[in-house]
Amino acid sequence: MCEIFPEVDTCCYFCSIRVGLLFISVISITTGAVSLGVIEQRSDVGFDKMMTMYSNVSHVEKSTEAALSQLSNMISSAVTAISTSFMFGGLFLLIADLTDQEGIAQAFVLMVFLNVVVGSVLVLAIALECIIEPVCLLGSMDWLSAATCLVMMVIYLVMWFYFICVANSYATHP
């Protein structure tokens, strides 16, 4: 898996990879906590409800209306899981950088890569939800603000892909 990411020599073109890892770990923990707070306030979904996501989906039968009504709960639960994963990933990266453990940095790379893949699917699901249903996660916004928010989510995921490349460069060539 290490070979699929491009290697970088510096982080953000101005600091070393080690300092960049500290920066990335703080950003990871912070954005995870802020995302958890925003999603909790916005949709009233917490960690306890994320653990019951399977029960939210299991009673959906073959009806498309029932599936679409549960799409919002699934999106909120998935964002909660991603935010929690970012916080743990940031903690792993901080430990990896402070103790020179490349294996733990690889755990961060794998965890955040899965978050980026799931986040990309979530951006598509949010867009689909807002097109099909009148009430969606971005329903309180006008169309331009909602589209800008989706574009910013994509830029956010691209930024995390770059951070994956930085962490992978550290893990493969310390």
Side-chain angles (χ1 to χ4, degrees):
M1 179 168 161
C2 301
E3 295 82 23
I4 64 172
F5 301 114
E7 291 188 20
V8 295
D9 296 328
T10 60
C11 179
C12 302
Y13 299 106
F14 67 88
C15 64
S16 70
I17 290 183
R18 296 281 310 253
V19 173
L21 290 181
L22 290 174
F23 173 70
I24 292 168
S25 65
V26 169
I27 287 177
S28 181
I29 293 168
T30 305
T31 58
V34 168
S35 298
L36 278 175
V38 167
I39 202 70
E40 171 67 30
Q41 179 186 22
R42 188 98 173 114
S43 62
D44 194 32
V45 172
F47 185 74
D48 55 339
K49 292 183 182 177
M50 188 230 14
M51 299 307 281
T52 61
M53 184 174 82
Y54 179 74
S55 65
N56 289 340
V57 178
S58 63
H59 73 280
V60 174
E61 296 176 12
K62 295 180 180 175
S63 146
T64 57
E65 293 83 20
L68 287 175
S69 70
Q70 293 300 320
L71 185 61
S72 181
N73 288 337
M74 291 178 7
I75 289 170
S76 299
S77 299
V79 170
T80 302
I82 286 174
S83 299
T84 305
S85 179
F86 269 126
M87 287 176 27
F88 283 122
L91 186 62
F92 286 167
L93 190 62
L94 182 64
I95 291 170
D97 191 31
L98 295 176
T99 61
D100 291 331
Q101 297 291 324
E102 293 85 18
I104 299 174
Q106 279 293 358
F108 169 82
V109 169
L110 178 64
M111 190 179 298
V112 175
F113 180 70
L114 290 175
N115 283 344
V116 168
V117 170
V118 171
S120 301
V121 171
L122 285 179
V123 168
L124 291 174
I126 291 170
L128 177 69
E129 179 190 33
C130 289
I131 289 171
I132 293 176
E133 287 190 26
V135 177
C136 69
L137 191 63
L138 303 175
S140 63
M141 300 179 185
D142 61 310
W143 72 270
L144 184 59
S145 299
T148 304
C149 187
L150 286 174
V151 168
M152 292 305 293
M153 287 180 201
V154 170
I155 291 171
Y156 177 77
L157 293 173
V158 170
M159 177 191 75
W160 278 106
F161 184 79
Y162 174 73
F163 289 161
I164 290 170
C165 294
V166 171
N168 188 55
S169 295
Y170 169 76
T172 55
H173 300 293

